[in-house]
Amino acid sequence: RRRHTRYWRDWSSDVCSSDLNVPFDPMIHEALMHSTSEEVSETTATQVLQPGYKFKDKVIRPARVAVTDPIG
């Protein structure tokens, strides 16, 4: 795992989508868990389970996230 992290850093890749409570975007997120809450008004990535990587403008691996959907 450390070797992979070092590899991505060496090739100037960027960690993408490590922010929490951002709208879910299937182009940069992979939803692994779902829950519902009254606290969100749109489908939101609420927990990053594994960061994603991006090289320049291309997503190499989407971030694996937990997603919270609004109730109703």
Side-chain angles (χ1 to χ4, degrees):
R1 187 172 198 178
R2 290 181 188 176
R3 187 179 297 163
H4 290 261
T5 303
R6 222 176 303 135
Y7 171 80
W8 292 121
R9 282 190 203 138
D10 292 345
W11 283 96
S12 299
S13 65
D14 295 322
V15 174
C16 68
S17 188
S18 59
D19 297 331
L20 296 177
N21 299 319
V22 295
F24 176 75
D25 180 355
M27 299 302 289
I28 60 171
H29 296 124
E30 178 182 354
L32 297 182
M33 297 173 17
H34 284 269
S35 63
T36 57
S37 173
E38 293 178 351
E39 296 178 11
V40 297
S41 59
E42 63 182 325
T43 304
T44 306
T46 51
Q47 182 181 8
V48 177
L49 305 172
Q50 186 175 24
Y53 292 96
K54 184 188 237 193
F55 182 71
K56 298 184 181 178
D57 289 332
K58 183 174 180 176
V59 174
I60 304 298
R61 182 180 73 195
R64 294 178 173 173
V65 298
V67 174
T68 302
D69 293 315
I71 293 178

